Amino acid sequence: MRVRTRDGRYEQIKAVGNSDCDQRDHSGSKVAAVAIGAAALLGLAALASKSHHREDRDLDERQTAQFERGYRDGLHNQPFHNYEDSKEYSDGYTKGVDQRRQETSYRSDYGSRGGNRAYVNVSDLSNRETTYTWGQLERRGFSLANERKLNNGDNQWLYWNDSTRQCVEVVSRDTWVSYVGEASATACRK
């Protein structure tokens, strides 16, 4: 397959012969090439169809890949792993988290917990002053596990409650908390 891009967008996808890839033609290779080509087209179409969450930003291929990796991590509640310190990953992660919240807004404040497990509700701590939220978390049995500055200028704190086995993420800018919600237990590990 030959893929041509322009300005970070797919311009042309074309099946080519094996010789273009320094490979010899073998019997049955055309069937395999068609199957591989179809799979590649479907994969590229799926990637292109998700571009709505990138808000039609003009990103090159590397930036698009970083944004998509961040988006999938945020969407599927995976830990923030921006090992290339990429703005696009950070933006994608934020968009993915926003999308996950939107898609699961019908759920109660208990997040992914169910059954009879102990649980501390923290949903009332968003849109408060940072010091108030910290104090309430400590009163409810949480202790600071990790903190860091995010690429978009926000601050993130992760709090762990050993008795309920809950990890809670707090995001703020300056002195105001914009988000408090459940995070994966692995995010609270030091």
Side-chain angles (χ1 to χ4, degrees), residues 156-171:
Q156 178 194 54
W157 293 272
L158 295 165
Y159 281 83
W160 177 252
N161 186 319
D162 204 39
S163 66
T164 63
R165 314 293 297 160
Q166 277 177 272
C167 181
V168 171
E169 175 186 21
V170 177
V171 178

Side-chain angles (χ1 to χ4, degrees), residues 32-88:
V34 169
I36 291 169
L41 287 173
L42 289 173
L44 293 174
L47 183 62
S49 72
K50 291 185 174 184
S51 67
H52 67 277
H53 58 255
R54 289 193 302 268
E55 298 173 344
D56 293 328
R57 293 186 222 183
D58 191 22
L59 303 176
D60 64 25
E61 288 179 50
R62 186 195 64 74
Q63 292 169 323
T64 298
Q66 288 296 318
F67 185 97
E68 289 296 327
R69 188 173 65 79
Y71 181 82
R72 285 188 308 275
D73 284 354
L75 180 65
H76 298 292
N77 203 22
Q78 295 298 309
F80 185 90
H81 284 297
N82 191 4
Y83 46 80
E84 291 186 19
D85 197 27
S86 161
K87 178 183 180 326
E88 291 76 25

Side-chain angles (χ1 to χ4, degrees), residues 2-68:
R2 177 179 294 137
V3 178
R4 183 183 311 160
T5 61
R6 181 178 298 190
D7 298 324
R9 298 185 186 273
Y10 296 101
E11 183 177 81
Q12 181 185 48
I13 302 171
K14 182 179 178 183
V16 296
N18 286 354
S19 60
D20 286 356
C21 296
D22 295 327
Q23 302 292 315
R24 283 189 284 164
D25 283 326
H26 293 70
S27 63
S29 64
K30 288 188 179 188
V31 173
V34 169
I36 291 169
L41 287 173
L42 289 173
L44 293 174
L47 183 62
S49 72
K50 291 185 174 184
S51 67
H52 67 277
H53 58 255
R54 289 193 302 268
E55 298 173 344
D56 293 328
R57 293 186 222 183
D58 191 22
L59 303 176
D60 64 25
E61 288 179 50
R62 186 195 64 74
Q63 292 169 323
T64 298
Q66 288 296 318
F67 185 97
E68 289 296 327

Side-chain angles (χ1 to χ4, degrees), residues 24-185:
R24 283 189 284 164
D25 283 326
H26 293 70
S27 63
S29 64
K30 288 188 179 188
V31 173
V34 169
I36 291 169
L41 287 173
L42 289 173
L44 293 174
L47 183 62
S49 72
K50 291 185 174 184
S51 67
H52 67 277
H53 58 255
R54 289 193 302 268
E55 298 173 344
D56 293 328
R57 293 186 222 183
D58 191 22
L59 303 176
D60 64 25
E61 288 179 50
R62 186 195 64 74
Q63 292 169 323
T64 298
Q66 288 296 318
F67 185 97
E68 289 296 327
R69 188 173 65 79
Y71 181 82
R72 285 188 308 275
D73 284 354
L75 180 65
H76 298 292
N77 203 22
Q78 295 298 309
F80 185 90
H81 284 297
N82 191 4
Y83 46 80
E84 291 186 19
D85 197 27
S86 161
K87 178 183 180 326
E88 291 76 25
Y89 177 90
S90 183
D91 291 347
Y93 191 87
T94 300
K95 286 288 187 185
V97 169
D98 291 345
Q99 184 67 29
R100 176 172 32 93
R101 286 183 192 142
Q102 180 181 342
E103 290 178 4
T104 59
S105 63
Y106 66 91
R107 296 183 63 95
S108 69
D109 293 330
Y110 294 100
S112 61
R113 296 183 177 269
N116 296 327
R117 292 186 66 184
Y119 177 82
V120 176
N121 187 357
V122 295
S123 64
D124 62 313
L125 300 178
S126 286
N127 300 313
R128 303 280 194 145
E129 286 187 281
T130 307
T131 53
Y132 174 83
T133 298
W134 292 341
Q136 285 296 311
L137 285 169
E138 289 174 7
R139 283 183 197 87
R140 296 175 193 188
F142 290 88
S143 60
L144 183 63
N146 203 349
E147 63 182 293
R148 66 190 166 130
K149 185 98 165 159
L150 301 177
N151 287 343
N152 63 3
D154 289 349
N155 296 301
Q156 178 194 54
W157 293 272
L158 295 165
Y159 281 83
W160 177 252
N161 186 319
D162 204 39
S163 66
T164 63
R165 314 293 297 160
Q166 277 177 272
C167 181
V168 171
E169 175 186 21
V170 177
V171 178
S172 76
R173 178 161 292 188
D174 300 321
T175 61
W176 202 254
V177 172
S178 61
Y179 172 74
V180 176
E182 215 156 318
S184 68

